[in-house]
Short mmCIF file of all heavy atoms in Angstrom, two decimals:
data_model
loop_
_atom_site.label_atom_id
_atom_site.label_comp_id
_atom_site.label_asym_id
_atom_site.label_seq_id
_atom_site.Cartn_x
_atom_site.Cartn_y
_atom_site.Cartn_z
N HIS A 531 14.99 10.86 3.85
CA HIS A 531 14.63 9.64 3.30
C HIS A 531 13.21 9.32 3.37
O HIS A 531 12.56 9.84 4.37
CB HIS A 531 15.36 8.37 3.98
CG HIS A 531 16.87 8.21 3.61
ND1 HIS A 531 17.28 8.16 2.38
CD2 HIS A 531 17.93 8.04 4.49
CE1 HIS A 531 18.60 7.95 2.34
NE2 HIS A 531 18.96 7.99 3.65
N ARG A 532 12.69 8.49 2.45
CA ARG A 532 11.22 8.08 2.64
C ARG A 532 11.15 6.81 3.43
O ARG A 532 12.14 6.10 3.44
CB ARG A 532 10.66 7.91 1.27
CG ARG A 532 10.49 9.24 0.57
CD ARG A 532 9.80 8.93 -0.85
NE ARG A 532 9.80 10.12 -1.61
CZ ARG A 532 8.82 10.41 -2.45
NH1 ARG A 532 7.83 9.48 -2.79
NH2 ARG A 532 8.75 11.47 -3.08
N ILE A 533 10.03 6.46 3.86
CA ILE A 533 9.83 5.20 4.60
C ILE A 533 8.66 4.39 3.91
O ILE A 533 7.78 4.97 3.36
CB ILE A 533 9.54 5.46 6.06
CG1 ILE A 533 9.52 4.20 6.91
CG2 ILE A 533 8.17 6.23 6.20
CD1 ILE A 533 9.55 4.41 8.40
N THR A 534 8.94 3.15 3.88
CA THR A 534 7.96 2.31 3.14
C THR A 534 6.73 2.17 4.04
O THR A 534 6.75 2.38 5.24
CB THR A 534 8.50 0.82 2.95
OG1 THR A 534 8.69 0.30 4.13
CG2 THR A 534 9.69 0.86 2.09
N ALA A 535 5.63 1.86 3.41
CA ALA A 535 4.37 1.79 4.18
C ALA A 535 4.48 0.61 5.19
O ALA A 535 4.04 0.76 6.36
CB ALA A 535 3.21 1.49 3.26
N GLU A 536 5.22 -0.40 4.82
CA GLU A 536 5.34 -1.60 5.69
C GLU A 536 6.14 -1.19 7.03
O GLU A 536 5.81 -1.55 8.00
CB GLU A 536 6.05 -2.72 5.03
CG GLU A 536 5.14 -3.43 3.95
CD GLU A 536 5.32 -2.70 2.57
OE1 GLU A 536 6.18 -1.75 2.47
OE2 GLU A 536 4.60 -3.05 1.66
N ASP A 537 7.30 -0.47 6.79
CA ASP A 537 8.11 0.00 7.83
C ASP A 537 7.36 0.99 8.83
O ASP A 537 7.47 0.95 9.99
CB ASP A 537 9.48 0.41 7.33
CG ASP A 537 10.32 -0.54 6.88
OD1 ASP A 537 10.12 -1.75 7.16
OD2 ASP A 537 11.25 -0.19 6.10
N LEU A 538 6.60 1.85 8.17
CA LEU A 538 5.78 2.88 8.89
C LEU A 538 4.86 2.23 9.78
O LEU A 538 4.83 2.50 10.98
CB LEU A 538 5.11 3.86 7.97
CG LEU A 538 4.16 4.81 8.54
CD1 LEU A 538 4.93 5.72 9.61
CD2 LEU A 538 3.52 5.71 7.61
N ILE A 539 4.12 1.28 9.26
CA ILE A 539 3.00 0.59 10.02
C ILE A 539 3.77 -0.27 11.10
O ILE A 539 3.20 -0.31 12.24
CB ILE A 539 2.19 -0.24 9.13
CG1 ILE A 539 1.26 0.74 8.37
CG2 ILE A 539 1.26 -1.13 9.97
CD1 ILE A 539 0.44 0.18 7.27
N ALA A 540 4.93 -0.85 10.83
CA ALA A 540 5.55 -1.70 11.92
C ALA A 540 6.02 -0.85 12.94
O ALA A 540 5.95 -1.21 14.22
CB ALA A 540 6.79 -2.39 11.28
N ILE A 541 6.49 0.42 12.69
CA ILE A 541 6.93 1.21 13.76
C ILE A 541 5.78 1.71 14.58
O ILE A 541 5.85 1.80 15.89
CB ILE A 541 7.70 2.48 13.10
CG1 ILE A 541 9.09 2.05 12.63
CG2 ILE A 541 7.89 3.66 14.18
CD1 ILE A 541 9.90 3.03 11.86
N LEU A 542 4.76 2.12 13.89
CA LEU A 542 3.48 2.58 14.69
C LEU A 542 2.97 1.40 15.58
O LEU A 542 2.80 1.65 16.70
CB LEU A 542 2.37 2.95 13.70
CG LEU A 542 2.75 4.19 12.85
CD1 LEU A 542 1.57 4.39 11.89
CD2 LEU A 542 2.97 5.38 13.68
N ARG A 543 2.92 0.24 15.12
CA ARG A 543 2.51 -0.88 15.92
C ARG A 543 3.44 -1.16 17.08
O ARG A 543 3.06 -1.47 18.26
CB ARG A 543 2.21 -2.15 15.09
CG ARG A 543 1.09 -2.08 14.21
CD ARG A 543 0.80 -3.39 13.43
NE ARG A 543 -0.39 -3.19 12.69
CZ ARG A 543 -0.74 -3.88 11.58
NH1 ARG A 543 0.17 -4.71 11.06
NH2 ARG A 543 -1.78 -3.77 10.97
N LEU A 544 4.77 -1.16 16.83
CA LEU A 544 5.81 -1.38 17.85
C LEU A 544 5.61 -0.46 18.99
O LEU A 544 5.81 -0.78 20.17
CB LEU A 544 7.20 -1.20 17.22
CG LEU A 544 8.33 -1.16 18.15
CD1 LEU A 544 8.55 -2.53 18.69
CD2 LEU A 544 9.58 -0.63 17.43
N ASN A 545 5.18 0.81 18.67
CA ASN A 545 5.01 1.88 19.67
C ASN A 545 3.63 2.09 20.11
O ASN A 545 3.21 3.16 20.77
CB ASN A 545 5.65 3.10 19.10
CG ASN A 545 7.14 2.98 19.07
OD1 ASN A 545 7.82 2.96 20.01
ND2 ASN A 545 7.56 2.89 17.72
N HIS A 546 2.74 1.23 19.82
CA HIS A 546 1.27 1.17 20.25
C HIS A 546 0.48 2.38 19.73
O HIS A 546 -0.29 2.97 20.45
CB HIS A 546 1.14 0.97 21.73
CG HIS A 546 1.98 -0.19 22.20
ND1 HIS A 546 1.57 -1.44 22.14
CD2 HIS A 546 3.16 -0.17 22.89
CE1 HIS A 546 2.44 -2.29 22.60
NE2 HIS A 546 3.44 -1.55 23.09
N VAL A 547 0.89 2.83 18.49
CA VAL A 547 0.14 3.91 17.81
C VAL A 547 -0.81 3.36 16.84
O VAL A 547 -0.35 2.59 15.96
CB VAL A 547 1.05 4.92 17.13
CG1 VAL A 547 0.31 6.06 16.47
CG2 VAL A 547 2.07 5.61 18.22
N LYS A 548 -2.05 3.71 16.95
CA LYS A 548 -3.01 3.14 15.97
C LYS A 548 -2.76 3.78 14.58
O LYS A 548 -2.73 5.04 14.49
CB LYS A 548 -4.44 3.32 16.47
CG LYS A 548 -4.81 2.62 17.69
CD LYS A 548 -6.14 3.07 18.32
CE LYS A 548 -6.55 2.41 19.51
NZ LYS A 548 -5.94 3.03 20.66
N PRO A 549 -2.58 3.05 13.59
CA PRO A 549 -2.30 3.71 12.29
C PRO A 549 -3.35 4.70 11.90
O PRO A 549 -3.03 5.70 11.32
CB PRO A 549 -2.31 2.46 11.28
CG PRO A 549 -1.85 1.31 12.10
CD PRO A 549 -2.52 1.56 13.45
N TRP A 550 -4.73 4.43 12.13
CA TRP A 550 -5.72 5.43 11.77
C TRP A 550 -5.56 6.70 12.63
O TRP A 550 -5.82 7.84 11.99
CB TRP A 550 -7.17 4.82 12.02
CG TRP A 550 -7.37 4.39 13.44
CD1 TRP A 550 -7.30 3.12 14.02
CD2 TRP A 550 -7.90 5.24 14.49
NE1 TRP A 550 -7.65 3.20 15.32
CE2 TRP A 550 -7.98 4.50 15.69
CE3 TRP A 550 -8.15 6.63 14.55
CZ2 TRP A 550 -8.38 4.99 16.86
CZ3 TRP A 550 -8.52 7.18 15.73
CH2 TRP A 550 -8.67 6.37 16.99
N GLU A 551 -5.03 6.55 13.86
CA GLU A 551 -4.77 7.83 14.64
C GLU A 551 -3.67 8.67 13.93
O GLU A 551 -3.83 9.91 13.84
CB GLU A 551 -4.39 7.48 16.03
CG GLU A 551 -4.07 8.67 16.99
CD GLU A 551 -3.78 8.25 18.38
OE1 GLU A 551 -4.02 7.00 18.69
OE2 GLU A 551 -3.14 9.01 19.04
N PHE A 552 -2.62 7.98 13.56
CA PHE A 552 -1.50 8.68 12.92
C PHE A 552 -2.02 9.34 11.60
O PHE A 552 -1.75 10.61 11.35
CB PHE A 552 -0.34 7.65 12.55
CG PHE A 552 0.83 8.23 11.95
CD1 PHE A 552 1.81 8.90 12.74
CD2 PHE A 552 0.99 8.19 10.59
CE1 PHE A 552 2.91 9.43 12.15
CE2 PHE A 552 2.09 8.78 9.87
CZ PHE A 552 3.08 9.37 10.76
N PHE A 553 -2.67 8.59 10.66
CA PHE A 553 -3.07 9.11 9.38
C PHE A 553 -4.13 10.18 9.52
O PHE A 553 -4.21 11.10 8.65
CB PHE A 553 -3.49 7.94 8.42
CG PHE A 553 -2.35 7.08 8.04
CD1 PHE A 553 -2.21 5.78 8.47
CD2 PHE A 553 -1.35 7.61 7.26
CE1 PHE A 553 -1.02 5.03 8.14
CE2 PHE A 553 -0.19 6.91 6.89
CZ PHE A 553 -0.04 5.57 7.19
N ASN A 554 -4.98 10.09 10.56
CA ASN A 554 -5.96 11.13 10.75
C ASN A 554 -5.30 12.41 11.03
O ASN A 554 -5.76 13.54 10.54
CB ASN A 554 -6.93 10.77 11.86
CG ASN A 554 -8.08 9.79 11.35
OD1 ASN A 554 -8.28 9.70 10.27
ND2 ASN A 554 -8.77 9.25 12.40
N GLN A 555 -4.29 12.40 11.91
CA GLN A 555 -3.60 13.61 12.21
C GLN A 555 -2.88 14.14 10.99
O GLN A 555 -2.86 15.41 10.78
CB GLN A 555 -2.53 13.38 13.39
CG GLN A 555 -3.13 13.54 14.71
CD GLN A 555 -2.13 13.85 15.75
OE1 GLN A 555 -1.05 14.28 15.44
NE2 GLN A 555 -2.47 13.47 16.99
N LEU A 556 -2.32 13.26 10.12
CA LEU A 556 -1.63 13.76 8.94
C LEU A 556 -2.68 14.41 8.08
O LEU A 556 -2.44 15.51 7.52
CB LEU A 556 -1.03 12.47 8.27
CG LEU A 556 0.04 12.83 7.13
CD1 LEU A 556 1.18 13.56 7.66
CD2 LEU A 556 0.49 11.50 6.59
N ASP A 557 -3.89 13.79 7.97
CA ASP A 557 -4.98 14.36 7.12
C ASP A 557 -5.44 15.65 7.75
O ASP A 557 -5.74 16.58 6.95
CB ASP A 557 -6.08 13.36 7.03
CG ASP A 557 -7.08 13.86 5.96
OD1 ASP A 557 -6.69 14.14 4.81
OD2 ASP A 557 -8.29 13.73 6.29
#
C-alpha cells in the first residue's frame, strides 16, 4: 500500500523523526 504525505509526516512527527532527516536518507 502507499501512504499519503499527510499520514507519513504524522507518523514521523509522532515518533520524533524530523521529516528532512527521513527524506534526506531516502534521497
Side-chain angles (χ1 to χ4, degrees):
H531 282 312
R532 293 182 182 210
I533 189 166
T534 66
E536 293 84 5
D537 289 343
L538 173 60
I539 291 171
I541 288 171
L542 295 176
R543 287 187 177 151
L544 172 71
N545 293 288
H546 310 287
V547 176
K548 296 174 182 86
W550 61 264
E551 181 183 338
F552 181 85
F553 290 111
N554 278 346
Q555 274 203 23
L556 195 62
D557 190 48

